[in-house]
mmCIF file of all heavy atoms in Angstrom:
data_model
loop_
_atom_site.group_PDB
_atom_site.id
_atom_site.type_symbol
_atom_site.label_atom_id
_atom_site.label_comp_id
_atom_site.label_asym_id
_atom_site.label_seq_id
_atom_site.Cartn_x
_atom_site.Cartn_y
_atom_site.Cartn_z
ATOM 1 N N LYS A 28 0.811 -1.207 0.017
ATOM 2 C CA LYS A 28 -0.039 0.061 -0.070
ATOM 3 C C LYS A 28 0.855 1.206 0.003
ATOM 4 O O LYS A 28 2.011 1.187 0.445
ATOM 5 C CB LYS A 28 -0.995 0.101 1.276
ATOM 6 C CG LYS A 28 -1.968 -1.123 1.203
ATOM 7 C CD LYS A 28 -2.932 -1.012 2.338
ATOM 8 C CE LYS A 28 -4.034 -2.123 2.261
ATOM 9 N NZ LYS A 28 -4.946 -1.806 3.286
ATOM 10 N N ASN A 29 0.207 2.300 -0.489
ATOM 11 C CA ASN A 29 0.933 3.641 -0.577
ATOM 12 C C ASN A 29 1.349 4.258 0.721
ATOM 13 O O ASN A 29 2.486 4.814 0.744
ATOM 14 C CB ASN A 29 -0.015 4.665 -1.282
ATOM 15 C CG ASN A 29 0.004 4.550 -2.814
ATOM 16 O OD1 ASN A 29 1.082 4.563 -3.499
ATOM 17 N ND2 ASN A 29 -1.180 4.357 -3.428
ATOM 18 N N ASP A 30 0.609 4.140 1.726
ATOM 19 C CA ASP A 30 0.970 4.870 3.026
ATOM 20 C C ASP A 30 2.311 4.233 3.656
ATOM 21 O O ASP A 30 3.144 4.995 4.019
ATOM 22 C CB ASP A 30 -0.110 4.590 3.979
ATOM 23 C CG ASP A 30 -0.633 3.172 4.264
ATOM 24 O OD1 ASP A 30 -0.004 2.222 3.621
ATOM 25 O OD2 ASP A 30 -1.359 2.917 5.236
ATOM 26 N N ALA A 31 2.503 2.839 3.489
ATOM 27 C CA ALA A 31 3.868 2.348 3.932
ATOM 28 C C ALA A 31 4.892 2.758 3.030
ATOM 29 O O ALA A 31 6.013 3.116 3.566
ATOM 30 C CB ALA A 31 3.656 0.806 3.850
ATOM 31 N N ALA A 32 4.656 2.906 1.734
ATOM 32 C CA ALA A 32 5.713 3.385 0.749
ATOM 33 C C ALA A 32 6.187 4.767 1.062
ATOM 34 O O ALA A 32 7.346 5.193 1.167
ATOM 35 C CB ALA A 32 5.243 3.199 -0.685
ATOM 36 N N LEU A 33 5.116 5.697 1.424
ATOM 37 C CA LEU A 33 5.511 7.042 1.710
ATOM 38 C C LEU A 33 6.309 7.120 3.014
ATOM 39 O O LEU A 33 7.185 7.927 3.057
ATOM 40 C CB LEU A 33 4.163 7.944 1.911
ATOM 41 C CG LEU A 33 3.383 8.100 0.665
ATOM 42 C CD1 LEU A 33 2.043 8.601 0.955
ATOM 43 C CD2 LEU A 33 4.106 8.947 -0.368
ATOM 44 N N THR A 34 5.965 6.409 4.007
ATOM 45 C CA THR A 34 6.721 6.348 5.274
ATOM 46 C C THR A 34 8.108 5.896 5.063
ATOM 47 O O THR A 34 9.036 6.441 5.596
ATOM 48 C CB THR A 34 6.086 5.425 6.325
ATOM 49 O OG1 THR A 34 4.627 5.970 6.484
ATOM 50 C CG2 THR A 34 6.850 5.528 7.595
ATOM 51 N N LEU A 35 8.318 4.729 4.292
ATOM 52 C CA LEU A 35 9.597 4.178 4.033
ATOM 53 C C LEU A 35 10.369 5.196 3.303
ATOM 54 O O LEU A 35 11.710 5.446 3.539
ATOM 55 C CB LEU A 35 9.607 2.866 3.321
ATOM 56 C CG LEU A 35 8.973 1.758 4.154
ATOM 57 C CD1 LEU A 35 8.684 0.585 3.270
ATOM 58 C CD2 LEU A 35 9.882 1.222 5.403
ATOM 59 N N ASN A 36 9.905 5.756 2.300
ATOM 60 C CA ASN A 36 10.708 6.746 1.495
ATOM 61 C C ASN A 36 11.221 7.922 2.318
ATOM 62 O O ASN A 36 12.322 8.446 2.045
ATOM 63 C CB ASN A 36 9.795 7.346 0.329
ATOM 64 C CG ASN A 36 9.877 6.453 -0.793
ATOM 65 O OD1 ASN A 36 10.731 5.940 -1.279
ATOM 66 N ND2 ASN A 36 8.631 6.325 -1.435
ATOM 67 N N ASN A 37 10.488 8.517 3.259
ATOM 68 C CA ASN A 37 10.828 9.624 4.104
ATOM 69 C C ASN A 37 11.923 9.116 5.002
ATOM 70 O O ASN A 37 12.992 9.865 5.250
ATOM 71 C CB ASN A 37 9.740 10.080 4.927
ATOM 72 C CG ASN A 37 8.774 10.928 4.079
ATOM 73 O OD1 ASN A 37 9.033 11.475 3.160
ATOM 74 N ND2 ASN A 37 7.489 10.899 4.454
ATOM 75 N N LEU A 38 11.916 7.885 5.551
ATOM 76 C CA LEU A 38 13.136 7.345 6.348
ATOM 77 C C LEU A 38 14.297 7.218 5.509
ATOM 78 O O LEU A 38 15.469 7.538 6.004
ATOM 79 C CB LEU A 38 12.635 6.021 6.903
ATOM 80 C CG LEU A 38 11.528 5.996 7.962
ATOM 81 C CD1 LEU A 38 11.231 4.591 8.306
ATOM 82 C CD2 LEU A 38 11.923 6.818 9.258
ATOM 83 N N ILE A 39 14.202 6.671 4.322
ATOM 84 C CA ILE A 39 15.356 6.390 3.450
ATOM 85 C C ILE A 39 16.007 7.849 3.097
ATOM 86 O O ILE A 39 17.193 8.004 2.941
ATOM 87 C CB ILE A 39 15.024 5.569 2.184
ATOM 88 C CG1 ILE A 39 14.532 4.217 2.828
ATOM 89 C CG2 ILE A 39 16.215 5.389 1.301
ATOM 90 C CD1 ILE A 39 13.930 3.369 1.653
ATOM 91 N N LEU A 40 15.184 8.773 2.731
ATOM 92 C CA LEU A 40 15.660 10.047 2.327
ATOM 93 C C LEU A 40 16.523 10.659 3.385
ATOM 94 O O LEU A 40 17.487 11.474 3.010
ATOM 95 C CB LEU A 40 14.535 11.047 2.107
ATOM 96 C CG LEU A 40 14.917 12.318 1.437
ATOM 97 C CD1 LEU A 40 15.358 12.231 -0.035
ATOM 98 C CD2 LEU A 40 13.654 13.387 1.344
ATOM 99 N N GLU A 41 16.300 10.488 4.682
ATOM 100 C CA GLU A 41 17.114 11.115 5.733
ATOM 101 C C GLU A 41 18.481 10.542 5.748
ATOM 102 O O GLU A 41 19.437 11.081 6.406
ATOM 103 C CB GLU A 41 16.438 10.680 7.062
ATOM 104 C CG GLU A 41 14.993 11.363 7.298
ATOM 105 C CD GLU A 41 15.069 12.938 7.172
ATOM 106 O OE1 GLU A 41 16.113 13.431 7.762
ATOM 107 O OE2 GLU A 41 14.274 13.582 6.430
ATOM 108 N N LYS A 42 18.710 9.436 5.139
ATOM 109 C CA LYS A 42 19.956 8.761 5.022
ATOM 110 C C LYS A 42 20.917 9.438 4.112
ATOM 111 O O LYS A 42 22.207 9.330 3.962
ATOM 112 C CB LYS A 42 19.965 7.294 4.616
ATOM 113 C CG LYS A 42 19.301 6.395 5.628
ATOM 114 C CD LYS A 42 18.832 5.021 5.134
ATOM 115 C CE LYS A 42 20.214 4.249 5.002
ATOM 116 N NZ LYS A 42 20.874 3.866 6.316
ATOM 117 N N ILE A 43 20.405 10.368 3.069
ATOM 118 C CA ILE A 43 21.164 11.097 2.202
ATOM 119 C C ILE A 43 21.665 12.401 2.931
ATOM 120 O O ILE A 43 20.848 13.081 3.462
ATOM 121 C CB ILE A 43 20.237 11.505 0.946
ATOM 122 C CG1 ILE A 43 19.791 10.337 0.308
ATOM 123 C CG2 ILE A 43 21.222 12.272 -0.002
ATOM 124 C CD1 ILE A 43 19.063 10.582 -0.926
ATOM 125 N N PRO A 44 22.883 12.643 2.932
ATOM 126 C CA PRO A 44 23.399 13.767 3.721
ATOM 127 C C PRO A 44 23.180 15.161 3.138
ATOM 128 O O PRO A 44 23.409 16.258 3.769
ATOM 129 C CB PRO A 44 24.992 13.496 3.776
ATOM 130 C CG PRO A 44 25.212 12.726 2.478
ATOM 131 C CD PRO A 44 24.057 11.813 2.375
ATOM 132 N N ALA A 45 22.750 15.265 1.900
ATOM 133 C CA ALA A 45 22.518 16.539 1.117
ATOM 134 C C ALA A 45 21.240 17.190 1.900
ATOM 135 O O ALA A 45 20.277 16.589 2.419
ATOM 136 C CB ALA A 45 22.196 16.362 -0.364
ATOM 137 N N PRO A 46 21.152 18.515 1.900
ATOM 138 C CA PRO A 46 20.146 19.337 2.379
ATOM 139 C C PRO A 46 18.870 19.097 1.544
ATOM 140 O O PRO A 46 18.971 18.991 0.344
ATOM 141 C CB PRO A 46 20.593 20.741 2.318
ATOM 142 C CG PRO A 46 21.497 20.782 1.285
ATOM 143 C CD PRO A 46 22.308 19.362 1.366
ATOM 144 N N PRO A 47 17.703 19.151 2.228
ATOM 145 C CA PRO A 47 16.489 18.856 1.511
ATOM 146 C C PRO A 47 15.903 20.135 0.830
ATOM 147 O O PRO A 47 16.068 21.189 1.328
ATOM 148 C CB PRO A 47 15.484 18.201 2.572
ATOM 149 C CG PRO A 47 15.981 18.932 3.851
ATOM 150 C CD PRO A 47 17.476 19.103 3.701
ATOM 151 N N LYS A 48 15.176 19.906 -0.247
ATOM 152 C CA LYS A 48 14.353 20.982 -0.858
ATOM 153 C C LYS A 48 12.909 20.568 -0.722
ATOM 154 O O LYS A 48 12.508 19.586 -0.993
ATOM 155 C CB LYS A 48 14.682 21.115 -2.404
ATOM 156 C CG LYS A 48 13.839 22.143 -3.101
ATOM 157 C CD LYS A 48 14.327 23.460 -2.821
ATOM 158 C CE LYS A 48 13.598 24.498 -3.668
ATOM 159 N NZ LYS A 48 14.104 25.972 -3.567
ATOM 160 N N ILE A 49 12.086 21.527 -0.061
ATOM 161 C CA ILE A 49 10.560 21.153 0.116
ATOM 162 C C ILE A 49 9.762 21.969 -0.730
ATOM 163 O O ILE A 49 9.810 23.179 -0.928
ATOM 164 C CB ILE A 49 10.366 21.452 1.578
ATOM 165 C CG1 ILE A 49 11.127 20.587 2.511
ATOM 166 C CG2 ILE A 49 8.847 21.190 1.793
ATOM 167 C CD1 ILE A 49 11.017 20.838 3.986
ATOM 168 N N TYR A 50 8.886 21.261 -1.504
ATOM 169 C CA TYR A 50 7.905 21.802 -2.448
ATOM 170 C C TYR A 50 6.496 21.634 -1.783
ATOM 171 O O TYR A 50 6.175 20.468 -1.584
ATOM 172 C CB TYR A 50 8.015 21.299 -3.810
ATOM 173 C CG TYR A 50 9.317 21.427 -4.563
ATOM 174 C CD1 TYR A 50 10.237 20.474 -4.541
ATOM 175 C CD2 TYR A 50 9.633 22.686 -5.167
ATOM 176 C CE1 TYR A 50 11.555 20.639 -5.027
ATOM 177 C CE2 TYR A 50 10.853 22.786 -5.800
ATOM 178 C CZ TYR A 50 11.801 21.755 -5.817
ATOM 179 O OH TYR A 50 13.041 22.012 -6.460
ATOM 180 N N HIS A 51 5.717 22.738 -1.782
ATOM 181 C CA HIS A 51 4.428 22.664 -1.250
ATOM 182 C C HIS A 51 3.491 22.826 -2.507
ATOM 183 O O HIS A 51 3.702 23.629 -3.342
ATOM 184 C CB HIS A 51 4.000 23.718 -0.244
ATOM 185 C CG HIS A 51 4.706 23.653 1.107
ATOM 186 N ND1 HIS A 51 6.038 23.994 1.309
ATOM 187 C CD2 HIS A 51 4.323 22.855 2.220
ATOM 188 C CE1 HIS A 51 6.512 23.804 2.534
ATOM 189 N NE2 HIS A 51 5.392 23.140 3.142
ATOM 190 N N SER A 52 2.452 21.941 -2.479
ATOM 191 C CA SER A 52 1.522 22.029 -3.631
ATOM 192 C C SER A 52 0.370 23.107 -3.355
ATOM 193 O O SER A 52 0.132 23.547 -2.295
ATOM 194 C CB SER A 52 0.769 20.699 -3.792
ATOM 195 O OG SER A 52 -0.069 20.444 -2.709
ATOM 196 N N SER A 53 -0.283 23.373 -4.452
ATOM 197 C CA SER A 53 -1.469 24.258 -4.284
ATOM 198 C C SER A 53 -2.621 23.344 -4.693
ATOM 199 O O SER A 53 -2.789 22.832 -5.724
ATOM 200 C CB SER A 53 -1.344 25.424 -5.384
ATOM 201 O OG SER A 53 -2.485 26.227 -5.494
#
């Protein structure tokens, strides 16, 4: 399911040392 994929992706992204860029939708 999508909800688990979204959670896992956020955890894995934290392992990348680069600073994040955040985009908010309209």
